[in-house]
Amino acid sequence: MKLRVVVLAVLFIGLSCAKQAPLPTQDTTPYNLEYGELPTPVIEGDNPLTVQGVQLGRMLFYEKRLSGDNSTSCASCHRQEHAFSDTARFSIGIHGDPSHRQAMSAVNMLWNTNGYFWDGRAEKLREQSLMPIQDPIEMDERLENVVEKLEQDTMYTNQFLRAFGTAQPTDRLISLALEQFMNSIVSYRSKYDKYLAGNAMFTEAEERGKELFFQEYNPFFPEQSGADCGHCHSGKNFDSPTYMNNGTDSLNTDLGRFLFTGDSADVGLMKTTTLRNIALTPPYMHNGIFATLREVIDHYDHGIQRSQTLDQALAMTMDTGLMLSEQDKEHLEAFLHTLTDYELITDERYSSPF
């Protein structure tokens, strides 16, 4: 009888082991990054985009367990339908408190060359990715707790194996995965892109708005003067590698980049962000002070406030303003709407995997 029990036990254990699925192995298949006619991006050599790495980053981006009370994810404040930004003036953290600045769009990060956050305090995207998790207002969690949560979930340990060849999550691997996913979010299919490729036509208003956008300010020949937006929002990504004070606050109540550099010349300076999908990302500026695109245009036309570090190109326009008519403003706004990538906001590659 005892021998029979032993035999049955051995058979049961053997069958159980036979049914156990083998552990996944690392898969380094490169991720097919699509970016249209944007310049060829430079990707960090120690963190190439792979199918499994991007997938892990996507999972983590939408994972609420990265927050202290398991209620908030990166996607809570960077929503796909709003081009991965937040339409709240200041995003609300897990304790109900507002953050200090308006949430930036997490799109086309591969073409960002001058640090992350409004003040550029994070040199690399991987560094930026962990800071909101630890911020006491935003997600208020300790990285060791995040690691512990993830290592208890076989869905994640298996995905870390596929992406990095180890089942053990670490701070560094979490940051690399998040960097990969955010680098994969690319906006390149707007009407403007299709227009440049000869696959779309602009209306008269959009065409005139484009001319105004790129035409330089000229106080001596008002009829030839433009809005000069392209001075600060240039290239195919409509951004700039420089930090600027754009005259929204004469008192510089937010010291901006100075808080990071300690250089008095950086007081009030903020990142010049991309204008791609700008119609989807209100409110505007680092402090969300403007609710509409028209308010932004009016600011540059006649609302600039002087301060010691005000950008000189903007200071030059203060005596006359941009001299835009109401129709000019309508046309300029029409052009800005052509920068909206409607395919981005429904693309399943960027949506929640859960």
Side-chain angles (χ1 to χ4, degrees):
M1 181 70 179
K2 288 183 180 179
L3 179 61
R4 183 181 177 187
V5 171
V6 170
V7 170
L8 288 172
V10 169
L11 286 172
F12 177 77
I13 293 171
L15 288 171
S16 298
C17 292
K19 291 179 181 178
Q20 194 172 41
L23 290 174
T25 57
Q26 186 175 11
D27 180 356
T28 59
T29 302
Y31 179 83
N32 180 30
L33 183 71
E34 298 177 8
Y35 52 90
E37 296 303 315
L38 288 168
T40 302
V42 177
I43 300 174
E44 294 278 356
D46 64 346
N47 196 27
L49 274 64
T50 66
V51 172
Q52 298 300 337
V54 169
Q55 176 63 11
L56 175 58
R58 180 183 171 199
M59 293 162 64
L60 293 169
F61 190 85
Y62 285 93
E63 180 54 73
K64 294 183 178 181
R65 283 176 287 179
L66 268 60
S67 64
D69 63 357
N70 301 329
S71 69
T72 303
S73 68
C74 304
S76 298
C77 300
H78 297 278
R79 301 173 183 271
Q80 184 175 9
E81 64 267 31
H82 302 306
F84 293 94
S85 68
D86 193 348
T87 54
R89 184 176 179 185
F90 301 111
S91 300
I92 303 300
I94 67 170
H95 303 300
D97 300 315
S99 56
H100 298 303
R101 293 176 182 152
Q102 217 274 325
M104 306 177 76
S105 173
V107 168
N108 289 10
M109 293 290 96
L110 271 175
W111 289 268
N112 180 80
T113 59
N114 62 336
Y116 299 87
F117 295 110
W118 283 101
D119 55 16
R121 64 186 180 273
E123 180 182 356
K124 295 184 177 183
L125 187 54
R126 65 190 65 172
E127 297 169 6
Q128 180 279 332
S129 69
L130 298 181
M131 290 182 180
I133 297 172
Q134 302 170 86
D135 188 286
I137 291 178
E138 295 183 51
M139 299 170 77
D140 195 20
E141 182 57 296
R142 299 172 63 184
L143 293 177
E144 52 263 42
N145 292 342
V146 172
V147 168
E148 185 178 352
K149 294 175 191 178
L150 297 179
E151 66 186 3
Q152 293 175 359
D153 188 334
T154 55
M155 176 184 70
Y156 275 108
T157 56
N158 285 344
Q159 191 57 34
F160 273 94
L161 270 169
R162 296 185 189 99
F164 297 114
T166 175
Q168 179 57 56
T170 65
D171 303 355
R172 180 174 180 274
L173 294 182
I174 291 168
S175 72
L176 293 180
L178 284 168
E179 180 178 76
Q180 284 195 43
F181 174 64
M182 286 189 280
N183 277 340
S184 79
I185 304 173
V186 184
S187 179
Y188 62 97
R189 294 167 290 183
S190 68
K191 183 176 182 179
Y192 177 74
D193 296 303
K194 295 171 184 176
Y195 165 87
L196 291 180
N199 297 323
M201 293 185 65
F202 276 177
T203 65
E204 289 186 12
E206 291 166 346
E207 188 67 46
R208 175 57 181 154
K210 179 176 73 72
E211 293 174 4
L212 287 165
F213 185 95
F214 291 108
Q215 198 166 5
E216 292 186 358
Y217 164 75
N218 190 334
F220 305 107
F221 297 94
E223 67 281 359
Q224 299 176 19
S225 184
D228 205 7
C229 310
H231 177 85
C232 300
H233 296 278
S234 59
K236 290 189 176 179
N237 201 41
F238 293 88
D239 62 0
S240 171
T242 59
Y243 288 79
M244 298 182 183
N245 181 334
N246 66 355
T248 58
D249 180 7
S250 61
L251 299 177
N252 292 323
T253 52
D254 187 331
L255 298 179
R257 189 156 172 75
F258 169 81
L259 295 172
F260 172 62
T261 67
D263 186 341
S264 60
D266 288 337
V267 169
L269 272 61
M270 300 286 179
K271 180 182 285 293
T272 307
T273 59
T274 179
L275 293 186
R276 283 184 172 272
N277 303 297
I278 193 68
L280 300 177
T281 62
Y284 304 105
M285 310 303 177
H286 66 279
N287 52 8
I289 194 172
F290 301 126
T292 66
L293 282 175
R294 179 55 67 90
E295 290 179 21
V296 174
I297 295 170
D298 284 341
H299 164 73
Y300 287 116
D301 185 37
H302 58 255
I304 294 172
Q305 301 178 44
R306 192 178 298 280
S307 62
Q308 277 195 319
T309 56
L310 175 66
D311 183 76
Q312 288 304 302
L314 297 179
M316 287 174 57
T317 69
M318 292 187 68
D319 289 341
T320 64
L322 293 177
M323 303 176 289
L324 299 175
S325 67
E326 286 303 305
Q327 188 175 61
D328 287 339
K329 294 176 183 179
E330 290 175 10
H331 292 169
L332 190 56
E333 193 168 353
F335 171 68
L336 291 172
H337 277 268
T338 70
L339 304 181
T340 302
D341 183 348
Y342 289 103
E343 294 178 63
L344 170 84
I345 61 177
T346 58
D347 194 324
E348 291 186 359
R349 292 176 296 179
Y350 312 137
S351 63
S352 173
F354 303 122

